Structure formats: structure tokens, C-alpha cells
Amino acid sequence: MGLDSNHNPGHGKPPVTIFINTREFQWSENEISYQQVYDLAFPNEPLNDGDLARIEYSRGHGGGGAGTLHPGGTIKVKGKMVFDVYVTIRS
């Protein structure tokens, strides 16, 4: 996983700062997946059957670079990118 504790072992680009639900993370990979964003937002809290997570991002590539990250999807990471993760629980 691309989570990096303020160091960059091995090769590749230096980590950039991203924000997930207002918390700061260092990320050293070029892309981040829907599942990786969810896991950082809610560690040790898997989605239950019928629950949905909506992941919106802003400050991405291409100007404003805002949109929605869908299950199974990935997105190219940019420094200071912001992710907001919302969970809808169905009963």
C-alpha cells in the first residue's frame, strides 16, 4: 500500500500529502484505488452487505479535478488532493 510514514523507501516519487475526511496522509504511489481510500478513511471497518461508500474528490488533475471515485476504480494522485468518504447504511 502507498501509505508512507514520512519516508520513501526504495525507488519512486517522493510522497505527497493527501487529505481523506480532513485527515492528512502521505502517499507515495502514482494512483490510489477506491478501496485504499475507503480503508484509510475507516480502518478496520469493512462495509457490510448493502452498505455503500461514496467517495468524492477535489483538487485533482486537470484544473479543478473534482469527481467521484467508483468501486473498483483508481485515480491519479496529486499533492493536496482531497477525498471525502460518505457511508450509507441500509437496514
Side-chain angles (χ1 to χ4, degrees):
M1 184 142 94
L3 187 58
D4 195 325
S5 304
N6 296 322
H7 69 284
N8 190 28
H11 302 291
K13 69 176 193 163
V16 295
T17 300
I18 61 173
F19 298 91
I20 301 174
N21 288 357
T22 71
R23 291 188 330 227
E24 186 175 307
F25 294 90
Q26 297 298 307
W27 192 257
S28 59
E29 295 180 22
N30 289 328
E31 294 185 336
I32 193 166
S33 72
Y34 172 94
Q35 189 64 50
Q36 289 169 318
V37 173
Y38 178 83
D39 290 343
L40 290 172
F42 300 104
N44 303 314
E45 294 183 36
L47 286 172
N48 295 313
D49 288 340
D51 293 352
L52 300 171
R54 186 176 85 239
I55 300 176
E56 297 177 356
Y57 62 87
S58 60
R59 298 186 183 174
H61 289 273
T68 302
L69 184 56
H70 298 283
T74 61
I75 188 162
K76 197 168 192 168
V77 174
K78 179 180 172 188
K80 304 209 184 217
M81 198 166 182
V82 176
F83 295 88
D84 294 305
V85 184
Y86 307 94
V87 176
T88 302
I89 299 172
R90 295 187 182 186
S91 50

